[in-house]
Amino acid sequence: MAGEKSAFDQTFLFSSLPSKKFSFLQDKDTLALLMKWSMLGRISAQSYSFDQSFCPYNSEKFVLCFFRDPDVVSSLKKMEAGVSVPLDKPVVSVDVELVPCTKVSMELFDPIYSCGILRPSGHIVKCFHYAYPDYDELRQMLQEEDSEHYDVVRRGERGEFLFRLFKHLCLGGELCQYEDTIDPYINTTKQVYKDLISAQKDPDTKKISVVSTVIKVSAYDEFGRCFPGIREQEQTFAYLIVDPFKRHVTLFCHFYGVGNLTL
């Protein structure tokens, strides 16, 4: 169509939205948990507007434009102290993974409550591990494929952004103090998910569905990976969460390490 750029030629411009706040980065109880889990000051969410229509098939171009955008680069360099984001050199390529994001309830976690990972009280069952002195059945289910409970959440469900978020929060940062009960993990996962994901109700069927597209991202300059972090680490991650209707995108990321020890 005249006036419409082809997907190949399309470029996106971004503008920071500093006024957009997230409850999980404001709420004192949540901040106290993030501090306990050694993620405070290392987990962040920053939103931007963009100027063209977005389609998931064009994600790689979108992400490349994002990491090359001057407004984005300058805002990333101002991220919280203790976390350096070395985008000094131009980004030359990106890796993108479209992450399934369809959940509008917490039912995905129901099987965890009845399989032996938790006591009836909600306390997490401890277990032996040769490398971790303070290990439990929940972390074993999250991390180890030969765990007897690994398949209580089906493999397809484990790929969902909601489950990935839960896993990230359970594993925490370098000096994580793990919870004895599951409730803090579940409640914080729900809060962060609701903060980040956009949903809408169908006026006819009344069914609620997710409208956000979630993209796991990493960026590379001429010397190799430069964001998030120069080395791959499961708990160093970055996701772009796109609301195609508002034309807003949120960069949600965490850099593994020792989190802030004071609020």
Side-chain angles (χ1 to χ4, degrees):
M1 283 172 62
E4 282 284 324
K5 290 186 176 180
S6 75
F8 189 75
D9 297 329
Q10 191 173 14
T11 57
F12 296 87
L13 292 173
F14 298 86
S15 298
S16 181
L17 296 171
S19 60
K20 185 165 180 185
K21 304 295 184 192
F22 298 89
S23 70
F24 75 93
L25 295 173
Q26 310 279 309
D27 178 69
K28 280 199 170 151
D29 292 339
T30 308
L31 292 173
L33 286 171
L34 293 174
M35 182 173 74
K36 185 180 178 186
W37 301 337
S38 199
M39 300 176 95
L40 188 66
R42 293 184 157 271
I43 195 166
S44 65
Q46 167 68 51
S47 291
Y48 306 82
S49 62
F50 56 91
D51 65 335
Q52 304 277 339
S53 56
F54 167 83
C55 293
Y57 69 80
N58 205 16
S59 295
E60 189 169 342
K61 181 76 173 180
F62 180 85
V63 174
L64 191 58
C65 289
F66 179 83
F67 283 110
R68 287 176 169 173
D69 189 271
D71 207 32
V72 171
V73 171
S74 67
S75 68
L76 290 184
K77 286 183 176 173
K78 293 178 197 154
M79 284 175 85
E80 293 188 49
V83 178
S84 66
V85 180
L87 287 180
D88 299 329
K89 297 186 173 54
V91 167
V92 295
S93 67
V94 292
D95 276 345
V96 302
E97 177 196 353
L98 286 171
V99 176
C101 186
T102 62
K103 300 302 177 186
V104 292
S105 78
M106 302 295 281
E107 288 174 6
L108 181 154
F109 300 107
D110 287 354
I112 292 174
Y113 287 82
S114 56
C115 67
I117 290 174
L118 305 177
R119 303 198 186 285
S121 61
H123 282 74
I124 302 163
V125 175
K126 302 288 184 188
C127 64
F128 171 77
H129 192 281
Y130 67 92
Y132 305 107
D134 176 30
Y135 208 51
D136 58 56
E137 293 283 359
L138 179 61
R139 276 182 285 151
Q140 189 171 55
M141 181 276 282
L142 292 172
Q143 291 181 288
E144 300 188 15
E145 288 197 36
D146 58 359
S147 158
E148 64 176 300
H149 301 303
Y150 187 84
D151 290 322
V152 296
V153 177
R154 295 196 308 272
R155 284 175 190 266
E157 305 275 82
R158 292 177 77 100
E160 281 275 340
F161 181 61
L162 179 62
F163 186 86
R164 294 184 191 213
L165 180 57
F166 174 74
K167 181 177 178 180
H168 285 316
L169 293 174
C170 289
L171 298 182
E174 195 170 340
L175 296 182
C176 182
Q177 300 173 58
Y178 299 102
E179 298 296 325
D180 293 322
T181 62
I182 196 170
D183 286 354
Y185 296 132
I186 291 287
N187 294 338
T188 307
T189 299
K190 184 176 182 179
Q191 181 186 17
V192 177
Y193 190 76
K194 282 181 75 173
D195 258 0
L196 294 175
I197 299 300
S198 303
Q200 66 180 19
K201 184 187 280 189
D202 185 295
D204 299 324
T205 65
K206 304 293 187 260
K207 189 182 174 199
I208 297 171
S209 59
V210 173
V211 298
S212 302
T213 296
V214 179
I215 314 165
K216 190 174 186 187
V217 298
S218 48
Y220 299 80
D221 62 22
E222 60 184 308
F223 296 108
R225 180 169 142 143
C226 60
F227 187 90
I230 55 174
R231 286 182 199 84
E232 282 202 38
Q233 211 287 343
E234 187 176 23
Q235 287 294 93
T236 294
F237 57 79
Y239 298 92
L240 283 179
I241 299 149
V242 185
D243 182 328
F245 299 111
K246 287 184 180 172
R247 289 190 178 175
H248 286 179
V249 58
T250 298
L251 175 65
F252 171 63
C253 54
H254 174 254
F255 299 84
Y256 181 78
V258 179
N260 294 349
L261 300 174
T262 54
L263 287 175

